[in-house]
């Protein structure tokens, strides 16, 4: 049995994780961490440090908030507990700092997106960018999301930027008319990223590539948080046999 502590257990993703972990034959939810109490769940703790001290889990799964995740990971790593992190908004500098704190035999696994379709979209984007380097990203999420752009959009931009030869470039902020700053989106690795936030949405992303006389559009839609759960369970099962910092679910697939 893999013993799991879940931070953010009362949230949207946390609720889906409780259900998925509860239904998995080889995983046991030994601690829930959140500010709200959760009826009928594993023991609930206010802080990750308390939960880890009381239950000594094998894995900490974190779906909290950008303001909480860094300290949560640090608490787990200091005890040699593997981490599966879905919380987005962790900066590259913070991730690097955490990576330097990982002890031998411990794994910090971070996935900007646990949905297989989104992972495939990112991989395809990198392939397409070799031939169609001009790209823009539109990411669409529910209106309670605390960070923009999304972690998936940032990761997609990084992958496209690393794979593509020189892009032709499109008009940027200099073309925005007075009073409409941001119309051309945020630049992530020099790729425009447009963030949409609306009630009714879950997590969606389009990547549009343009070339002379043609465009190619990739789109992925997570209509339900169930889409993320196979990836979360896979990560919980895999981190025990991994070590160091691993970013991206693609690194755990095909094993
Ligand atoms: P959510 O519904 O707001 O849930 C977050 C939960 O964490 C809330 O119950 C929140 O409590 C709790 N929390 C926040 N700070 C805490 C702290 N310091 N101590 C204890 N509990 C704390 O958010 P969500 O939609 O589930 O998303 C959670 C994270 O997962 C976000 O960063 C989101 O971008 C990310 N996400 C990742 C993926 C992926 O595939 N990687 C997919 C979807 C979402 P309060 O309500 O009291 O603040």
């Amino acid at each position: 049995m893999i013993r799991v502590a879940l931070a953010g257990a009362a949230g949207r993703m946390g609720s889906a994780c409780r259900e998925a972990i509860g239904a998995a034959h080889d995983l046991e939810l030994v601690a829930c961490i959140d500010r709200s109490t959760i009826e009928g769940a594993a023991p609930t703790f206010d802080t990750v440090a308390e939960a880890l001290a009381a239950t000594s889990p094998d894995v900490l799964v974190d779906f909290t908030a950008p303001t909480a995740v860094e300290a949560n990971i640090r608490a787990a790593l200091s005890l040699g507990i593997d981490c599966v992190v879905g919380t987005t908004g962790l900066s590259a500098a913070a991730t690097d700092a955490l990576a330097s704190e990982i002890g031998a035999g411990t794994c910090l696994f971070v996935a900007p997106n646990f949905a297989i379709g989104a992972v495939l979209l990112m991989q395809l984007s990198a392939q397409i960018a070799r031939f169609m380097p001009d790209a823009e990203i539109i990411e669409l999420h529910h209106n309670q999301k605390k960070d923009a752009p999304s972690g998936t959009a940032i990761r997609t931009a990084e992958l496209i930027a690393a794979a593509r030869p020189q892009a032709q470039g499109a008009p940027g902020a200099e073309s925005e008319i007075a009073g409409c700053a941001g119309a051309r989106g945020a630049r992530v690795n020099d790729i425009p990223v447009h963030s949409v936030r609306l009630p009714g949405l879950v997590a969606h992303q389009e990547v549009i590539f343009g070339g002379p006389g043609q465009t190619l559009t990739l789109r992925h839609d997570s209509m339900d948080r169930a889409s993320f759960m196979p990836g979360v369970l896979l990560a919980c099962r895999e981190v025990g046999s991994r070590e160091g910092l691993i970013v991206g679910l693609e690194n755990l697939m095909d094993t």
Side-chain angles (χ1 to χ4, degrees):
M1 266 307 188
I2 301 167
R3 303 174 74 254
V4 180
L6 175 61
R12 285 172 287 258
M13 286 296 288
S15 301
C17 286
R18 280 191 282 130
E19 195 174 323
I21 294 167
H25 62 88
D26 55 344
L27 302 180
E28 183 188 1
L29 187 58
V30 296
C32 288
I33 303 110
D34 210 298
R35 293 190 277 231
S36 330
T37 46
I38 306 161
E39 295 300 324
T44 306
F45 298 86
D46 288 337
T47 68
V48 164
E50 286 172 298
L52 301 185
T55 63
S56 302
D58 299 307
V59 183
L60 172 71
V61 174
D62 192 293
F63 282 100
T64 57
T67 48
V69 60
E70 195 176 339
N72 290 348
I73 297 170
R74 190 158 277 128
L77 292 180
S78 71
L79 297 171
I81 294 169
D82 296 321
C83 298
V84 169
V85 178
T87 307
T88 52
L90 195 61
S91 70
T95 306
D96 288 346
L98 289 165
S100 71
E101 297 171 29
I102 304 172
T106 304
C107 181
L108 168 56
F109 176 73
V110 182
N113 201 311
F114 280 96
I116 179 71
V119 173
L120 293 173
L121 178 146
M122 287 187 261
Q123 291 189 320
L124 289 170
S125 295
Q127 285 181 36
I128 294 166
R130 292 170 53 210
F131 306 100
M132 299 180 77
D134 290 289
E136 303 211 5
I137 297 171
I138 306 171
E139 57 95 343
L140 311 90
H141 283 81
H142 60 88
N143 60 342
Q144 303 301 313
K145 186 166 173 56
K146 294 191 171 76
D147 53 319
S150 70
T152 305
I154 292 171
R155 180 77 176 145
T156 308
E158 288 170 354
L159 291 170
I160 291 173
R164 68 179 179 175
Q166 196 61 39
Q168 270 192 312
E174 74 287 348
S175 66
E176 293 167 348
I177 63 172
C180 291
R184 289 288 299 125
R187 292 275 161 157
V188 180
N189 287 40
D190 210 29
I191 294 163
V193 178
H194 311 272
S195 297
V196 178
R197 297 288 177 266
L198 284 171
L201 293 171
V202 178
H204 318 257
Q205 180 166 284
E206 275 185 30
V207 184
I208 308 174
F209 297 89
Q214 60 184 322
T215 64
L216 172 56
T217 302
L218 297 181
R219 181 175 171 113
H220 175 258
D221 297 278
S222 276
M223 266 87 73
D224 189 296
R225 290 177 178 83
S227 62
F228 303 115
M229 293 305 116
V232 174
L233 298 184
L234 173 66
C236 288
R237 290 172 179 132
E238 283 290 323
V239 283
S241 58
R242 312 281 182 137
E243 68 178 345
L245 172 68
I246 303 175
V247 179
L249 193 68
E250 62 276 17
N251 296 300
L252 303 186
M253 292 158 51
D254 291 330
T255 54

